[in-house]
């Protein structure tokens, strides 16, 4: 198991090269000191270790037999450290180095085995020393040194696990940002392509409508124009995901906007879905595009209705629309918001919720839980929120539905 799970990735390979560079410098110096103090056994061991380090450095740097070289070096360093420990009390720190290597470079599972093997070998050296005629160590010193190795093992293990956790989180965040950037570029290119093609379709359809005399054909041309215009609208929704500030920004009352959107949306709902609204009174001005903000709110409301509609049977759906204020006294990196006052619109439904695996991808284009859905609604809402220097966050569970919170900067 020590060798089966031995995995040396690029990061560990570079770190091991750094360790070898240190050993190549340190071992010749300690060998010279031991030779001058007539400690010939220590000097010979350190010269051999230096030669092994130089050879291992060449193999690992040129990526020849990396895993086999690292394994052999682990064994050489372990037994060389034990010999130095037997010969000189000051060489005990090399045992700590072996423990650190076992955890930091071999991975958690095999690293624990390396550390356990090291501690057992150290304990064996102490036992042999204590049973000898002239022991170098006392019982108390031996116990303290073994306990120190065990404590070091736990510390390094915890640090390694924390490092892996942070690295995984960083990789997830980086991958998410890369997916969003790719989606934005794809959305922008597709929007331009579709709009260009649709303008050509609309232009030729209008020419045909003007030239043909048959009224039936004219109606067909009108239908083609209508379909092409709707396709252009979908392309504009797709381009809304790209965070570019529109030119029609103005000061609007967010509460009045929400009231008008919710009232119009309620008329389209089935009888089993009930809407409850609550908000603070008074003007709530913000700077933005009324058209885009309506699209953002409607996209989230439609998502709430669809979540309730997926539940079969005579289910009584509830959607709560809550408007409130929040003050951020310092920037929020999690939501990517600056400090300041915000209008927070909460849209709460008692639908089936969003699966945990899907929550991190829900605001990306073409991600949908609907069989015939395009998956652009929430991506469009996300892009509009970013255009307005705001954010959207989701809290969801299978038992209590979903809560979408839409943050929009408030003009003081």
């Amino acid at each position: 198991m020590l060798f089966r799970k031995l995995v040396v990735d690029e990061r560990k390979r570079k770190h091991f090269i750094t360790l070898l560079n240190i050993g190549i410098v340190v071992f010749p110096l300690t060998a010279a000191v031991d030779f001058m103090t007539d400690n010939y056994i220590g000097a010979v061991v350190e010269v051999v270790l230096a030669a092994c380090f130089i050879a291992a450095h060449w193999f690992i740097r040129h990526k020849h037999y990396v895993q086999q070289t690292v394994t052999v070096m682990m064994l050489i360093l372990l037994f060389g450290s034990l010999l130095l420990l037997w010969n000189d009390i000051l060489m005990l720190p090399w045992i700590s180095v072996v423990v650190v290597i076992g955890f930091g470079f071999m991975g958690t599972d095999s690293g624990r085995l390396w550390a356990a093997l090291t501690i057992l070998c150290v304990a064996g050296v102490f036992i042999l020393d204590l049973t000898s005629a002239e022991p170098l160590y006392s019982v108390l010193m031996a116990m303290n040194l073994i306990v120190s190795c065990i404590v070091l093992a736990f510390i390094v293990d915890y640090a390694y696990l924390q490092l892996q956790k942070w690295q995984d989180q960083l990789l997830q965040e980086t991958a998410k940002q890369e997916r969003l950037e790719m989606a934005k570029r794809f959305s922008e290119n597709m929007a331009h392509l579709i709009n260009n093609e649709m303008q050509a379709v609309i232009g030729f359809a209008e020419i045909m409508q003007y030239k043909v005399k048959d009224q039936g054909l004219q109606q067909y041309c009108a239908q083609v124009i209508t379909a092409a215009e709707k396709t252009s609208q979908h392309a504009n929704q797709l381009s809304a995901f790209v965070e570019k500030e529109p030119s029609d920004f103005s000061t609007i009352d967010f509460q009045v906007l929400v009231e008008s959107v919710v009232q119009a949306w309620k008329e389209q709902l089935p009888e089993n879905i009930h809407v409850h609204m609550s908000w603070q009174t008074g003007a709530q001005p913000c700077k933005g595009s009324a058209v885009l903000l309506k699209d953002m709110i409607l996209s989230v409301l439609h998502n709430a209705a669809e979540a309730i509609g997926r539940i079969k049977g005579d289910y009584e759906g509830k959607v709560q629309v809550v408007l409130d204020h929040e003050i951020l006294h310092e920037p929020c990196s999690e939501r990517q918001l600056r400090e300041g006052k915000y209008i927070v619109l909460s849209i709460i439904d008692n639908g089936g919720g969003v699966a945990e695996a899907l929550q991190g991808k829900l605001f990306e284009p073409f991600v949908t839980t609907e069989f015939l859905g395009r998956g652009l609604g929430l991506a469009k809402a996300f892009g509009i929120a970013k255009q307005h220097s705001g954010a959207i966050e989701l809290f969801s569970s299978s038992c209590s539905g979903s809560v979408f919170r839409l943050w929009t900067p408030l003009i003081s």
Side-chain angles (χ1 to χ4, degrees):
M1 193 170 182
L2 279 171
F3 309 102
R4 228 174 16 204
K5 292 189 176 182
L6 181 60
V7 178
V8 182
D9 57 21
E10 185 63 20
R11 180 182 64 86
K12 293 177 183 178
R13 189 184 72 86
K14 291 180 179 178
H15 288 183
F16 206 84
I17 289 176
T18 302
L19 180 70
L20 292 175
N21 288 333
I22 295 172
I24 290 171
V25 174
V26 170
F27 276 128
L29 294 177
T30 55
V33 172
D34 282 340
F35 184 79
M36 288 187 292
T37 57
D38 298 330
N39 184 6
Y40 300 114
I41 296 177
V44 171
V45 172
E46 286 157 359
V47 168
V48 172
L49 285 174
C52 293
F53 270 51
I54 293 172
H57 184 278
W58 187 89
F59 277 103
I60 294 176
R61 185 176 179 182
H62 292 84
K63 298 184 180 180
H64 296 317
Y65 307 104
V66 175
Q67 295 187 7
Q68 295 85 341
T69 303
V70 171
T71 304
V72 172
M73 284 305 300
M74 285 290 296
L75 293 172
I76 291 174
L77 188 55
L78 172 59
F79 292 117
S81 300
L82 292 175
L83 285 173
L84 294 173
L85 174 63
W86 182 266
N87 180 255
D88 189 350
I89 189 174
L90 296 178
M91 293 311 298
L92 184 67
W94 288 109
I95 302 300
S96 302
V97 173
V98 178
V99 177
V100 173
I101 295 170
F103 281 103
F105 298 106
M106 297 300 103
T108 304
D109 294 335
S110 57
R112 285 173 181 161
L113 293 176
W114 280 108
L117 176 62
T118 302
I119 294 170
L120 287 175
C121 291
V122 172
V125 169
F126 286 140
I127 291 171
L128 290 175
D129 178 65
L130 292 172
T131 56
S132 63
E134 296 181 359
L136 294 173
Y137 306 92
S138 65
V139 176
L140 182 60
M141 184 183 294
M143 291 179 61
N144 285 336
L145 292 175
I146 292 175
V147 170
S148 298
C149 285
I150 295 174
V151 171
L152 176 66
F154 278 108
I155 291 174
V156 175
D157 186 36
Y158 176 77
Y160 182 82
L161 291 176
Q162 287 297 114
L163 181 62
Q164 271 199 328
K165 181 181 177 181
W166 295 334
Q167 187 179 26
D168 291 341
Q169 290 176 350
L170 181 62
L171 288 175
Q172 289 175 3
E173 288 298 322
T174 304
K176 182 179 179 181
Q177 291 298 326
E178 288 177 353
R179 290 200 305 270
L180 287 175
E181 288 300 324
M182 290 177 62
K184 289 172 188 175
R185 289 195 295 270
F186 177 75
S187 300
E188 188 175 18
N189 292 334
M190 286 298 296
H192 286 305
L193 178 63
I194 293 172
N195 267 325
N196 290 338
E197 297 297 331
M198 287 303 105
Q199 292 306 314
V201 172
I202 292 171
F204 285 119
E206 288 176 345
I207 293 172
M208 290 176 61
Q209 189 181 31
Y210 175 75
K211 286 191 173 183
V212 296
K213 305 299 181 182
D214 189 291
Q215 291 185 351
L217 291 176
Q218 288 181 349
Q219 290 179 355
Y220 290 146
C221 290
Q223 292 178 358
V224 171
I225 294 171
T226 302
E229 288 176 345
K230 286 183 178 179
T231 304
S232 291
Q233 290 177 1
H234 295 323
N236 292 331
Q237 290 179 353
L238 185 62
S239 65
F241 183 73
V242 183
E243 301 167 18
K244 292 183 178 179
E245 182 175 320
S247 58
D248 60 342
F249 269 31
S250 60
T251 301
I252 58 177
D253 190 322
F254 197 77
Q255 178 175 327
V256 174
L257 181 73
V258 173
E259 287 178 350
S260 63
V261 171
V262 174
Q263 290 296 339
W265 178 70
K266 283 172 63 176
E267 298 177 0
Q268 307 172 8
L269 294 177
E271 295 181 356
N272 68 316
I273 299 181
H274 306 282
V275 181
H276 303 276
M277 296 181 290
S278 63
W279 40 59
Q280 296 180 355
T281 57
Q284 302 186 56
C286 68
K287 184 181 179 182
S289 166
V291 175
L292 290 179
L293 289 174
K294 283 182 180 180
D295 281 347
M296 177 183 71
I297 298 167
L298 277 174
S299 296
V300 181
L301 290 172
H302 286 323
N303 182 81
E306 290 172 355
I308 295 172
R310 285 195 294 269
I311 302 177
K312 297 181 180 179
D314 299 330
Y315 184 73
E316 185 176 353
K318 295 180 181 178
V319 178
Q320 290 181 279
V321 181
V322 182
L323 196 62
D324 204 350
H325 291 164
E326 291 279 352
I327 299 177
L328 295 181
H329 297 287
E330 57 184 16
C332 179
S333 57
E334 184 179 354
R335 303 187 188 103
Q336 297 182 348
L337 294 175
R338 298 189 294 266
E339 61 182 15
K341 296 181 179 180
Y342 287 86
I343 307 167
V344 182
L345 176 65
S346 300
I347 299 176
I348 308 164
D349 67 73
N350 63 342
V354 181
E356 187 175 353
L358 192 62
Q359 290 183 19
K361 303 178 181 179
L362 199 61
F363 298 110
E364 298 177 15
F366 313 114
V367 175
T368 178
T369 56
E370 295 297 311
F371 178 69
L372 295 177
R374 294 182 301 273
L376 296 177
L378 292 178
K380 174 182 67 173
F382 178 86
I384 294 172
K386 289 296 183 183
Q387 286 174 322
H388 290 76
S389 301
I392 299 180
E393 56 182 344
L394 166 66
F395 305 95
S396 184
S397 67
S398 56
C399 1
S400 58
S402 302
V403 178
F404 285 87
R405 302 187 75 205
L406 286 64
W407 294 70
T408 306
L410 179 68
I411 300 177
S412 303

